[in-house]
Amino acid sequence: MKSSSTLTVTTRTLELAELGEESALPSVQPLLAPPYTVGEGVPEEILAGVRWGRANNLYPYSMQENYTRETSATELTAVALENAHIKATFLPGLGGRLWELKDKASGKDLLHTSDRVQFANLALRNAWFAGGIEWNIGTRGHSPSTCSPLHTAIVRTPEGQEVLRMWEFDRLREVVFQIDAWLPAESKVLFTAVRIRNPNEKTVPMYWWSNAAVPQTPGTRVLAPAKQAFLSNYDGAMSRIDPTNVEGVDVTWPVNNGQAADFFFDIEPQERRWELAADADGDGLAMVSSEQLRGRKLFMWGESTGGHRWQEWLSPSNDGEPRRYAEIQSGLAQTQLEHVPMPAGASWQWVEAYGNAALDPALAAGAWDSALTHGAQRVETLVPRQGIADALSDAGRWADLPPTELLVAGSGWGALESGRRQHSDMEWVDESGTPFGAETLTTDQSPWLELLRANEGIVEKPFEASAAEAPSQPFGGAVSFVRGLDWEDLLTAGRNLSAEAAFHHAVMVHARASSRAADLAVVVGLYDRALGGSDAGEAGTGGDGIVGAGAPLSERSRELALRGKGLALLAAGEVKEGLHHLELACSTTYGTRALLIEAMTLAVENGAPQMALDLLANGPEAVASLGRVELLQAQALADVGESGQAAAILRAGIEVADLREGDNSIAELWQRVCPGEEVPGQYQFSLR
């Protein structure tokens, strides 16, 4: 009997933490610096990629940081692709995560997953969760879309193949990406095709990594066709190594690694692009791709106390048994420190295949060269080179086929971008296969859409006299943020002038400003203009915005303008004035939890612990019980000499839901205020 393949829209109930509302603070703060630098023995090609393309910040994205550690049973939309050999389950509402991949012959789950989705601070926008295969685009780190819904639809091809399509507009690089997934009836591998399109008139730095979490057992070994790799860990260095002999240790067995580390395999150009993780039976995930995905990486948390703590933190066990995992990954560049230039107007596409490697366990555990030879043979049996080539050809033919059935709506930013580019006569993508419908627009986009409509047909540059003849329609403000010089032109046009327009223009300039004093002075001046003058930040003076140009700043925008000015002053080295403006921002009646935490953090970091304590004393009572705030309070108390009170807070027990990856500040504070006492296991997050 001929086998079949099905695509089923269903649901999956998981214990899920509430993600919470996105932060109201515009993301103008610089991204955290990489935890390591490039050392000797690294090729110039990698060095060039490291030096170029890093994003200054995540603007216009906002942070996803208002989650907790509490979970509840939540029903999620799921899409299952299944045939006689494998079953794949996707979660479109959580970044399109490929959540499960079950091999029916062995009965094994090829991916590490959990019945509990626990958010933690590992992504570019903060929130991230472990498990499955995730898709990372834009710049180094876990993608801005990793915890957000993707537009999702079913596409039926002329050949009768059902394809799951997921797509979104990436606001950081202003490109469109799509992921097509399909499972042929007789196939032992799931195929995914990724396409990225750059509609811009300039080259953009591009980054893509597919990250697969795989079960880590004492018998797990990772293979990739390379004799050398580039090792990076949390000590700040990156070096070329032999992965089978790192100070006498074969690190291709994740259990052998004492510390968290990344290994980027140095695969020769003529080799096939594959990587696999085989357990003691030889079973495990094989990731095989077309040539464009050059990079292959192994990540493990390590066998240290901190490494184990992080795994418990990310994948809590319901039965008390630890659930360890490692990650095998594939990317555009050789390492994750690099960006690849994507030319103006370019469209890139590649294919990946996922299935059970099914190795002979004795050969997989043997000498490296023999294990690689055997691995390459099994990969060729699982999915031949021609099979990848055929899949890539199919993906190219299907890429622009229109969706047959829409399943999940992503954000409305793609629809707004389409309108923006039409208004400004800018190039855009063909939306046939990836529509950004008007029905996806929300209140986040509506003020900006109205700004476009109010200026429709006005083709002159806003600063030209003819454009100024248009009727005055002061911009009424928005709770969301956008970027682009064309938006700045609209906001600074006389007909749209308002305090809110001046505020949003200041934020846009702040987001693209360099760290040079002259640039920061311009930013401070623009915030002053929105606030109504250089003295407008003082309580009871000025602050009515731009006279004669509509309403004054809303309380929310006033708070954010004061905050923006404070950040710019801090960046310029004017610490006292910068902290003063943050304090003023926190004193507004609007007030936000995110601002209070940020201001307390910056006060502690800049030697003003008493300010942090004063902010807490004057802030909302509900904020005081947050783990992050309790940690900041304890740090500030220690800094003002109240070590006993700080120790009491730690001994009572705190849980910082958004503790940053690699952050060991709780343990460090414990050692400081509880000298001679062993750090409790719950506070040991060190990865060094």
Side-chain angles (χ1 to χ4, degrees):
M1 178 183 293
K2 185 177 180 180
S3 62
S4 63
S5 173
T6 61
L7 187 157
T8 306
V9 182
T10 181
T11 60
R12 181 67 189 272
T13 299
L14 298 172
E15 282 290 317
L16 181 69
E18 279 287 334
L19 190 57
E21 293 185 358
E22 294 184 359
S23 173
L25 309 182
S27 299
V28 295
Q29 288 277 57
L31 287 174
L32 294 175
Y36 46 73
T37 56
V38 178
E40 295 182 2
V42 178
E44 174 57 34
E45 177 187 2
I46 293 178
L47 292 173
V50 170
R51 288 191 291 260
W52 177 80
R54 188 170 180 271
N56 291 332
N57 50 51
L58 280 180
Y59 187 85
Y61 284 109
S62 54
M63 302 303 284
Q64 296 173 314
E65 58 191 10
N66 289 322
Y67 51 86
T68 69
R69 297 287 294 174
E70 298 176 4
T71 62
S72 60
T74 305
E75 188 176 78
L76 302 171
T77 298
V79 182
L81 283 68
E82 184 173 10
N83 66 11
H85 303 290
I86 54 179
K87 180 179 180 181
T89 303
F90 289 83
L91 301 177
L94 289 173
R97 188 76 61 100
L98 172 51
W99 187 237
E100 292 177 335
L101 187 64
K102 179 176 285 292
D103 174 60
K104 294 185 176 181
S106 65
K108 294 181 179 180
D109 292 316
L110 302 181
L111 299 174
H112 165 84
T113 58
S114 172
D115 290 330
R116 180 175 172 183
V117 173
Q118 191 71 70
F119 296 120
N121 185 2
L122 279 79
L124 289 168
R125 296 175 70 188
N126 188 317
W128 181 82
F129 63 100
I133 299 180
E134 66 165 327
W135 326 103
N136 296 303
I137 188 172
T139 194
R140 179 176 173 244
H142 296 284
S143 181
S145 55
T146 198
C147 289
S148 300
L150 300 185
H151 298 282
T152 306
I154 299 172
V155 176
R156 295 185 175 91
T157 74
E159 298 89 342
Q161 179 69 57
E162 288 189 313
V163 177
L164 173 66
R165 175 166 298 161
M166 301 177 288
W167 69 97
E168 188 53 280
F169 171 64
D170 177 66
R171 302 180 72 201
L172 191 63
R173 300 305 190 189
E174 298 187 345
V175 300
V176 173
F177 69 93
Q178 75 183 74
I179 304 159
D180 286 359
W182 69 101
L183 182 59
E186 304 291 340
S187 179
K188 292 186 177 182
V189 295
L190 172 75
F191 288 104
T192 62
V194 174
R195 181 170 68 155
I196 304 175
R197 288 176 287 172
N198 175 17
N200 301 291
E201 296 180 348
K202 62 180 181 180
T203 296
V204 298
M206 190 44 58
Y207 176 101
W208 180 277
W209 282 79
S210 305
N211 293 10
V214 295
Q216 179 185 312
T217 69
T220 298
R221 192 183 197 188
V222 173
L223 304 178
K227 294 183 181 299
Q228 293 188 314
F230 299 102
L231 162 65
S232 62
N233 49 35
Y234 289 80
D235 67 358
M238 178 176 177
S239 57
R240 185 191 289 273
I241 52 94
D242 173 356
T244 67
N245 185 8
V246 180
E247 297 181 355
V249 175
D250 184 345
V251 297
T252 65
W253 302 84
V255 73
N256 288 347
N257 287 270
Q259 302 295 326
D262 297 329
F263 296 92
F264 299 99
F265 291 101
D266 188 11
I267 300 176
E268 295 293 335
Q270 72 275 9
E271 296 286 351
R272 284 198 74 181
R273 298 296 189 250
W274 60 268
E275 185 178 12
L276 61 86
D279 64 17
D281 299 321
D283 295 314
L285 180 69
M287 301 177 73
V288 190
S289 76
S290 50
E291 299 305 309
Q292 188 153 12
L293 283 192
R294 179 179 181 183
R296 291 296 184 276
K297 171 187 163 182
L298 164 63
F299 166 77
M300 71 280 299
W301 285 103
E303 298 304 300
S304 68
T305 301
H308 287 173
R309 180 69 178 111
W310 272 107
Q311 299 218 44
E312 294 164 2
W313 185 251
L314 296 168
S315 296
S317 172
N318 293 328
D319 58 10
E321 288 296 318
R323 304 187 68 250
R324 310 277 190 245
Y325 75 93
E327 291 188 10
I328 59 175
Q329 307 176 7
S330 55
L332 277 174
Q334 194 165 358
T335 75
Q336 288 175 339
L337 279 74
E338 304 165 73
H339 295 87
V340 178
M342 186 175 191
S347 176
W348 290 350
Q349 189 173 43
W350 59 84
V351 161
E352 287 194 87
Y354 309 122
N356 187 0
L359 272 60
D360 180 304
L363 294 176
W368 183 246
D369 288 347
S370 299
L372 292 187
T373 298
H374 175 60
Q377 291 169 346
R378 285 299 173 91
V379 165
E380 184 65 20
T381 300
L382 180 66
V383 55
R385 280 182 183 265
Q386 189 58 48
I388 292 290
D390 291 345
L392 185 58
S393 177
D394 289 340
R397 292 198 318 277
W398 301 339
D400 288 317
L401 291 177
T404 308
E405 179 183 352
L406 295 173
L407 304 178
V408 174
S411 77
W413 294 112
L416 179 67
E417 185 69 10
S418 178
R420 168 204 177 191
R421 288 177 180 260
Q422 182 178 2
H423 177 273
S424 299
D425 197 25
M426 298 162 63
E427 292 294 326
W428 183 231
V429 299
D430 178 357
E431 289 190 31
S432 300
T434 53
F436 294 101
E439 69 278 5
T440 64
L441 292 163
T442 69
T443 53
D444 283 339
Q445 293 85 37
S446 56
W448 303 106
L449 185 64
E450 181 56 35
L451 181 61
L452 293 178
R453 289 173 176 167
N455 290 273
E456 190 172 357
I458 304 174
V459 297
E460 298 88 358
K461 288 291 184 182
F463 46 78
E464 292 183 3
S466 54
E469 297 173 2
S472 176
Q473 301 183 70
F475 179 62
V479 298
S480 57
F481 299 91
V482 296
R483 73 170 191 180
L485 295 180
D486 52 322
W487 287 116
E488 292 185 33
D489 284 344
L490 288 174
L491 291 173
T492 55
R495 61 185 176 277
N496 301 319
L497 187 64
S498 69
E500 293 291 337
F503 161 67
H504 276 275
H505 179 233
V507 174
M508 291 184 193
V509 174
H510 192 175
R512 62 178 173 83
S514 73
S515 58
R516 293 192 297 267
D519 281 5
L520 294 170
V522 169
V523 171
V524 169
L526 290 173
Y527 281 123
D528 278 338
R529 181 170 183 263
L531 287 162
S534 61
D535 295 325
E538 299 298 337
T541 66
D544 290 331
I546 300 173
V547 177
L553 278 180
S554 67
E555 194 69 12
R556 176 185 183 277
S557 296
R558 175 180 164 77
E559 171 192 295
L560 296 180
L562 289 168
R563 177 249 186 182
K565 181 178 178 181
L567 294 179
L569 288 166
L570 279 175
E574 298 182 41
V575 174
K576 184 177 179 180
E577 276 299 300
L579 292 178
H580 173 61
H581 279 80
L582 289 174
E583 196 169 20
L584 287 174
C586 290
S587 69
T588 64
T589 57
Y590 181 75
T592 66
R593 156 182 156 173
L595 178 60
L596 178 65
I597 292 173
E598 180 184 65
M600 287 183 67
T601 301
L602 290 171
V604 170
E605 290 177 352
N606 285 278
Q610 189 58 53
M611 172 182 159
L613 296 173
D614 292 342
L615 287 170
L616 178 58
N618 296 322
E621 289 185 14
V623 175
S625 62
L626 296 174
R628 169 64 63 184
V629 174
E630 289 179 322
L631 174 59
L632 288 167
Q633 181 186 17
Q635 289 172 324
L637 286 168
D639 287 347
V640 298
E642 298 292 345
S643 294
Q645 293 183 46
I649 292 174
L650 296 185
R651 289 197 175 99
I654 64 172
E655 188 175 67
V656 183
D658 64 337
L659 192 71
R660 183 71 184 174
E661 178 185 10
D663 184 351
N664 198 38
S665 58
I666 306 178
E668 291 169 354
L669 182 60
W670 178 279
Q671 292 170 330
R672 180 180 166 193
V673 299
C674 304
E677 298 183 35
E678 184 176 353
V679 179
Q682 71 197 69
Y683 294 157
Q684 294 190 32
F685 288 92
S686 176
L687 293 176
R688 297 186 180 180

